[in-house]
Amino acid sequence: GGSSAPAGGAGGSTLSGTAATGLPLVGSINVTGAAGGQALNVAIAVDGSYTADVSGLSAPFMVQAVPTDNTKPALFSYAASVNVTANVTPLTNVAMFIANGNTDPATLYSNWATAASTITSQVVVDAQAVVNANLQTSFQAAGLDATSYDIFGSSFTANSTGFDALLDTLTVDISSGSVNMTVSGNPAFTFDPAIDTTGINIGGGSGGSNTNYSVGGTVNIATTGLVLQNNGRDDLVVTGTSFTFPKRLNDGTKYNVTVKTQPAGQTCTINSASGAILSLDVTSVLVNCVASGGSSTYTVGGTVSGLTGSLTLTLFKNGTFHDAIQGFTGTVFAFTNPMDSGNLYSITLVQPTGQVCTPTNETGSIVNADITNVTISCVDTGGGTGTSATLSVNPPEFFDFSTGTAFSAATGTEDIIGVSNEGVNFGNEGAANIIGNRIMRIGTSGTLAGTTVPVWDGNAPWVNVSYHFTSGTGGLPVAVGEIWAIYTSEGNYAILKVTGLPGGNFGSSFTFEYLYNADGTRSF
């Protein structure tokens, strides 16, 4: 019982317009709605006009004009609502091609029930702005204003005047996947899909103003003389390590960033160079430059002096383990696993018995060359071989929690043995000094068993809990009973409980118990 109004309202729902290529198009019109369903085989009158009943179909609509001559391609158009003009011409076809990401609009028509939500009226407005901007001279010659003329919704007659006169001058082909357009009387004309559409503001049936977006990205290192292009034009001389092309593109427009001129002494390649604008500025283009004629990967190494025992050296790439040298006893070292230019490196070491080794130039970035200036200077500590669980930290050192331990049945914990002159860098100066074992206080009191420590994410240091032994005054006071989480230089977790302060706060040592998980797990 009862009835409901059709999509366009009680007064009926139609689309009408002119289908022409300069001459009236001979053929028929099909219309498809956003919820599926079609109006088929609507006759085109001899003057190119048509009216299609779209009752029962849902807006927005795609319109297809099919020529009787099957050697000619179908043309497509768009209507945001019912009871409006929807012309079908080679230029509406180009606009729908651009709106569809420079892809044949026939595929859009076939999938309109799912694609209608992405091809919004604004996307269509932006696409026709590109058409109008390219043909401003032709619009002017036809007595039309390219900044506002709506090729979809402005009524015209196929009588070789006005807009139809403009169509008479054009030959258009999109079969190659790009817009190939010729304009009679203008042999130098080339259609520019990335043309500046500033000042083109088309209201028409879609409404709204044109929106466009920028294309840019980053360069891994500073260069001199690097020139980039977008879509084969828009030359941009890059200074610094970031760039943005000044010419903005319409939504749906494709971009393709290439190197026009290589910088002096370098060769640059581009990642994420191409794509289509998706209603956002593009910032993801990555330019990677390396020394011309050189390797794209480089090694990290240096020299060691004064070493009487053996060192374990660990190389981190952008904060993540990359390589290691075990039991090093020589004077010149280089890690085997190379790194790409632009990556950050850092080196940590496990101290040899009875010595303190201090690195310099152990952190930095790869810039088109091997790193050879890391220096490690080792000196004897002159200390004894104490057997207590006392950690003497003057000067600060790294302590490898995977060695020098023994299980104590009395306490149920792992205790340090024979390391009274070993140490841990718990300095409070930040990331530059916390490059080996990382530390975080996770409790002011508690037990070692049944605790899960936080994840070390490889980026910033954990919350500082520091004991500045070298100065005797800096950092946070250490209290008996504190529980600390440790992320060790070899990539595993330990947990530590302070048991005594023989010299009081800011003394030269403290005693502790700890547990160490050699399998890398965080629960104790």
Side-chain angles (χ1 to χ4, degrees):
S3 63
S4 60
S13 301
T14 63
L15 293 178
S16 60
T18 299
T21 59
L23 295 173
L25 192 147
V26 178
S28 60
I29 294 291
N30 300 320
V31 181
T32 183
Q38 298 182 81
L40 302 175
N41 299 318
V42 176
I44 300 174
V46 293
D47 64 354
S49 63
Y50 78 92
T51 297
D53 183 356
V54 293
S55 299
L57 303 183
S58 299
F61 307 96
M62 269 198 78
V63 183
Q64 179 189 54
V66 182
T68 301
D69 183 351
N70 59 16
T71 64
K72 296 180 180 180
L75 301 178
F76 296 88
S77 187
Y78 171 91
S81 60
V82 298
N83 302 324
V84 298
T85 298
N87 300 317
V88 191
T89 71
L91 293 187
T92 64
N93 199 55
V94 169
M96 295 308 295
F97 171 81
I98 295 171
N100 195 31
N102 293 340
T103 303
D104 187 351
T107 62
L108 192 62
Y109 184 88
S110 300
N111 298 288
W112 189 242
T114 55
S117 60
T118 60
I119 307 299
T120 64
S121 59
Q122 187 60 58
V123 170
V124 176
V125 168
D126 292 346
Q128 65 172 315
V130 176
V131 174
N132 286 29
N134 272 276
L135 294 171
Q136 291 195 64
T137 300
S138 298
F139 272 92
Q140 184 176 13
L144 305 172
D145 183 0
T147 64
S148 59
Y149 190 86
D150 182 1
I151 60 178
F152 289 88
S154 298
S155 298
F156 77 97
T157 302
N159 59 2
S160 297
T161 64
F163 183 63
D164 190 61
L166 184 155
L167 294 176
D168 284 332
T169 68
L170 304 179
T171 301
V172 182
D173 178 29
I174 60 170
S175 61
S176 65
S178 60
V179 178
N180 295 300
M181 184 182 296
T182 61
V183 179
S184 60
N186 185 3
F189 177 83
T190 299
F191 190 89
D192 181 2
I195 195 169
D196 185 0
T197 59
T198 302
I200 306 294
N201 186 359
I202 302 167
S206 301
S209 60
N210 182 49
T211 303
N212 47 38
Y213 303 92
S214 64
V215 174
T218 56
V219 184
N220 66 320
I221 57 174
T223 62
T224 301
L226 172 63
V227 180
L228 301 178
Q229 288 187 325
N230 187 22
N231 293 326
R233 53 185 65 83
D234 303 336
D235 292 11
L236 176 64
V237 178
V238 177
T239 58
T241 56
S242 63
F243 65 92
T244 301
F245 285 93
K247 180 174 287 188
R248 299 172 68 85
L249 304 182
N250 293 286
D251 201 18
T253 303
K254 288 187 177 180
Y255 63 89
N256 183 30
V257 179
T258 54
V259 177
K260 179 181 181 181
T261 305
Q262 296 286 358
Q266 295 175 329
T267 300
C268 300
T269 56
I270 304 180
N271 296 326
S272 304
S274 60
I277 304 294
L278 298 174
S279 302
L280 289 171
D281 291 337
V282 174
T283 60
S284 57
V285 181
L286 303 175
V287 182
N288 184 56
C289 300
V290 299
S292 297
S295 171
S296 61
T297 59
Y298 303 91
T299 59
V300 177
T303 58
V304 179
S305 63
L307 179 64
T308 59
S310 64
L311 279 173
T312 295
L313 303 173
T314 304
L315 174 65
F316 292 86
K317 173 184 174 182
N318 299 326
T320 302
F321 174 83
H322 190 63
D323 201 357
I325 300 175
Q326 303 284 343
F328 179 78
T329 59
T331 57
V332 178
F333 70 94
F335 289 94
T336 302
N337 199 1
M339 297 172 64
D340 296 330
S341 183
N343 285 305
L344 301 178
Y345 68 88
S346 62
I347 297 173
T348 65
L349 55 87
V350 176
Q351 298 289 351
T353 302
Q355 287 194 298
V356 174
C357 297
T358 304
T360 58
N361 302 320
E362 73 275 17
T363 63
S365 61
I366 307 292
V367 184
N368 298 326
D370 292 336
I371 300 299
T372 60
N373 66 338
V374 180
T375 60
I376 300 174
S377 178
C378 301
V379 296
D380 294 340
T381 62
T385 59
T387 58
S388 68
T390 299
L391 184 61
S392 179
V393 198
N394 192 4
E397 304 174 12
F398 298 113
F399 176 76
D400 184 350
F401 283 85
S402 63
T403 61
T405 66
F407 182 74
S408 169
T411 62
T413 63
E414 294 276 357
D415 293 329
I416 295 175
I417 59 172
V419 293
S420 63
N421 292 290
E422 297 260 13
V424 181
N425 183 355
F426 292 162
N428 69 340
E429 290 85 352
N433 288 325
I434 310 178
I435 59 174
N437 301 302
R438 279 78 168 177
I439 185 166
M440 175 192 284
R441 182 171 60 191
I442 59 175
T444 56
S445 64
T447 59
L448 298 182
T451 301
T452 299
V453 305
V455 175
W456 164 251
D457 64 6
N459 296 313
W462 279 350
V463 176
N464 272 333
V465 175
S466 58
Y467 198 65
H468 205 309
F469 295 94
T470 53
S471 70
T473 58
L476 298 176
V478 175
V480 173
E482 285 181 347
I483 304 294
W484 294 357
I486 311 291
Y487 181 77
T488 68
S489 59
E490 71 272 14
N492 296 328
Y493 289 93
I495 189 168
L496 177 154
K497 179 179 181 180
V498 178
T499 59
L501 298 170
N505 273 318
F506 300 113
S508 62
S509 65
F510 64 93
T511 62
F512 61 95
E513 298 172 343
Y514 78 96
L515 294 174
Y516 171 80
N517 278 352
D519 62 358
T521 56
R522 300 181 295 107
S523 296
F524 297 85

